[in-house]
Amino acid sequence: MGRGVSSPVSAAIISFAIIALAIYTTLLTTNSMVQVYRLLKNPYNVECSYLRIASAVLYPNSTMEIVIDNDGPNTINDISSLGMVVVIYANESQYTYTLKNCNTLSHGCWFAEKIVVGSATLGYGVGKPFRPGEKLYAKALLGLNTSSISYGYVAIFSSCSKAERVIVSSNG
């Protein structure tokens, strides 16, 4: 009779081990398939940077100052890859400006003025990366009459993120 009791216990232990192994194999296979799908979806494995616009001020001479924080874990190697759009509402009409990155301040352009890290100010040079924890000070020139602006916002785009901020007008 002692032999009959041990057989069901052994069978239960072996059955539990087989079920646990089957569940583990299924989870491992599913995880591998998800990783392959992510690799196929994004073959360059580019991780997103997290941009945040700390401030955006529009002055009466239609110059705009923007402060952008890189709050993400990744460096933006080429600041010229950032896109900037400004939307202005004035006289019950909407005006949208798609600004391009330029080396100097001119109409329809924005440029990187400087990068600040803590209390250190670094001059911006072409090809300088925008690293996590840094603040990018940019200027833009819209070429519009700012006296009739009722509302507006600015948006910054990277390859996989977007940041928006309401524009503060210094008109008073």
Side-chain angles (χ1 to χ4, degrees):
M1 185 130 153
R3 187 163 229 192
V5 172
S6 66
S7 293
V9 172
S10 306
I13 291 172
I14 292 172
S15 297
F16 177 74
I18 291 173
I19 291 171
L21 185 60
I23 291 172
Y24 175 75
T25 304
T26 303
L27 289 175
L28 189 64
T29 303
T30 305
N31 188 31
S32 298
M33 289 177 16
V34 167
Q35 288 179 356
V36 168
Y37 173 75
R38 285 183 183 158
L39 182 61
L40 291 174
K41 185 176 176 186
N42 188 1
Y44 302 109
N45 200 17
V46 176
E47 294 183 20
C48 287
S49 53
Y50 303 109
L51 300 176
R52 184 177 65 86
I53 301 175
S55 68
V57 179
L58 181 61
Y59 293 102
N61 64 357
S62 76
T63 301
M64 198 167 138
E65 289 184 351
I66 306 109
V67 179
I68 306 162
D69 293 336
N70 185 348
D71 286 341
N74 299 307
T75 299
I76 297 173
N77 291 320
D78 186 12
I79 290 178
S80 65
S81 68
L82 295 176
M84 184 180 295
V85 174
V86 178
V87 178
I88 301 291
Y89 297 93
N91 300 325
E92 298 181 19
S93 296
Q94 175 183 331
Y95 302 94
T96 303
Y97 297 88
T98 303
L99 304 176
K100 61 183 177 178
N101 181 255
C102 299
N103 293 329
T104 60
L105 187 62
S106 58
H107 290 284
C109 290
W110 72 275
F111 82 103
E113 185 178 32
K114 61 185 174 182
I115 291 180
V116 174
V117 183
S119 61
T121 300
L122 311 170
Y124 176 75
V126 176
K128 180 166 181 352
F130 183 32
R131 294 186 175 91
E134 294 181 337
K135 290 182 181 295
L136 172 67
Y137 286 76
K139 284 191 176 180
L141 186 58
L142 301 179
L144 63 110
N145 180 3
T146 61
S147 63
S148 61
I149 293 175
S150 58
Y151 177 75
Y153 66 91
V154 60
I156 302 286
F157 300 89
S158 72
S159 60
C160 57
S161 69
K162 178 177 93 169
E164 290 184 19
R165 179 89 178 192
V166 171
I167 296 172
V168 176
S169 177
S170 70
N171 288 337

